[in-house]
Each structure stands twice: as structure tokens, then as C-alpha cells.
Amino acid sequence: MKVLLVNGSSREKGCTYTALNEVARSLKEEGIETEIIFIGNKPLPDCLACGKCGETGECVFHDIANDLVEKAKTADGFVFGSPVYYAHPSGRLLTVLDRAFYSGSRYFAHKPGAAVLSARRAGTTASMDVINKYFTIASMPVVSSTYWNHVYGNEPEEVMQDKEGLMTMYNIGKNMAWLLKCIEAGKKNGIPVPENEKIATNFIR
């Protein structure tokens, strides 16, 4: 079993990475393979709503969003991490998630997901709510911890002093590993994933 941990920060080895690394440490102790993916710090295009991915199965922009979907095909779980900017996740992470989930949501469905946030002080709960919506729209079980999935600090050294935050990250890994093992046991005992019905409407039709 493998979990992808996506670093949505512009800093490859900053506070968000420090939090994700603690989740990865916990998962590894449970025998779960991990990979931390840095989405980079170069400009990324937003979704154009062109619908081309519905025809080709991939986004017209060939960058990290398509790479993530490709990796999602063989992954069993996901952790998306972000710093907090003005009480929301990084725009670059949301750009990647918008495009990846729109073009390849079937590869995320019924696989556990967790959101991880780092902040100097506040805005974390609002940011976590934004990321969690990707999970709840894509039929993904949401992995919780023993407190909100946040760490605090301006620099990695400060995050390492946030003992409760680090414990929360560690417990995310434990809870995700448990859920992954339960899902695997279910598959071995003939319990299939549900076949969800789909219909698209708006408020007037």
C-alpha cells in the first residue's frame, strides 16, 4: 500500500514539508509506502473549463496536475498539505487539485484523504474545510486525527517546537494506516466499493 503526500507550498522543505514528513514517518512505521511530491514554485495555469479532459482523460496543460493523476492511479491514499494564505490554502495547490480532480476524480474515489495545514497563527480551519471538500465530492473517506490537522510556526524549527501539532500529524498517519488496512481486509473478504449514482442538475432544472 502507498500514500502520496502532496506539498502545496512554494517552499520545498518548509513548514508544510515538516508536517507532511511527520505523517510519512508514522505511515512508514505501519508498513505503508510513502512519497512526498513537491508541486513546485513555477507559475501554474488554472482550469479553463474547456472540457477537453472529458475527451482525452487528461488536462490540456501537461504539468504536475497530470503527473498527480498518473500517480493517483496506483496510490491507495492521499495527504494534501498547504500553508495558509489569507485564511485559505495556497492558490497553486488549489489549481492543481481543481484540474487533477476534474480530469481524474475516478482515480481518487474511495481512497482515504487527509488535509494538513501550516500557519503562523490562524486561518487553518477555514483552509482545511476547503481541501476537505475535494474528498467529500470525490467519494473519499476523510482521515481525521486527535485534533485539527494543523501545525504552527514561521519556520520548520518553530514547527518542530509545536509538540501537539506534531502529535496530530503522527496520529493522522496512524489513522490512515488503520483505515487502509481495513479497506484492504474488506476487499479480501469480497466487499466491493459502492457503485455511486450520478446526476447533474442546477437549481432550476
Side-chain angles (χ1 to χ4, degrees):
M1 289 181 282
K2 182 176 182 178
V3 172
L4 295 179
L5 301 98
V6 180
N7 182 358
S9 174
S10 294
R11 298 181 179 180
E12 185 172 7
K13 295 293 178 70
C15 297
T16 302
Y17 171 82
T18 304
L20 291 173
N21 202 46
E22 188 68 7
V23 180
R25 182 175 76 89
S26 179
L27 286 164
K28 290 174 186 176
E29 289 181 0
E30 296 294 325
I32 308 295
E33 183 183 350
T34 65
E35 179 182 359
I36 297 179
I37 303 168
F38 177 51
I39 65 174
N41 46 29
K42 296 179 180 178
L44 291 167
D46 279 335
C47 176
L48 299 178
C50 66
K52 200 67 179 178
C53 62
E55 302 174 22
T56 65
E58 63 179 8
C59 183
V60 294
F61 299 117
H62 297 285
D63 56 19
I64 186 64
N66 280 347
D67 295 341
L68 176 58
V69 172
E70 191 61 32
K71 288 179 179 292
K73 293 177 181 179
T74 55
D76 301 289
F78 306 89
V79 182
F80 298 119
S82 176
V84 172
Y85 300 143
Y86 291 91
H88 64 75
S90 73
R92 61 190 313 97
L93 177 65
L94 298 185
T95 287
V96 170
L97 295 184
D98 281 351
R99 290 166 46 210
F101 273 74
Y102 197 68
S103 63
S105 61
R106 61 191 178 280
Y107 302 117
F108 295 92
H110 304 113
K111 298 176 181 179
V116 164
L117 283 306
S118 66
R120 179 188 67 84
R121 189 171 180 85
T124 49
T125 54
S127 300
M128 185 170 70
D129 179 63
V130 173
I131 298 176
N132 279 346
K133 285 186 171 65
Y134 289 92
F135 307 145
T136 58
I137 289 172
S139 298
M140 298 171 67
V142 180
V143 178
S144 59
S145 186
T146 46
Y147 196 67
W148 293 324
N149 300 1
H150 315 148
V151 295
Y152 294 96
N154 263 341
E155 300 294 337
E157 295 77 16
E158 293 179 355
V159 171
M160 293 304 296
Q161 298 176 48
D162 180 9
K163 298 305 181 183
E164 185 173 2
L166 292 176
M167 177 200 70
T168 302
M169 298 301 108
Y170 186 81
N171 289 340
I172 290 171
K174 294 296 182 186
N175 289 346
M176 177 165 281
W178 170 78
L179 185 53
L180 287 171
K181 291 173 184 178
C182 288
I183 292 172
E184 184 66 18
K187 290 178 181 177
K188 290 179 179 178
N189 284 278
I191 302 174
V193 297
E195 294 185 12
N196 298 136
E197 297 183 4
K198 290 191 177 181
I199 186 171
T201 67
N202 61 29
F203 290 113
I204 60 172
R205 60 176 174 84

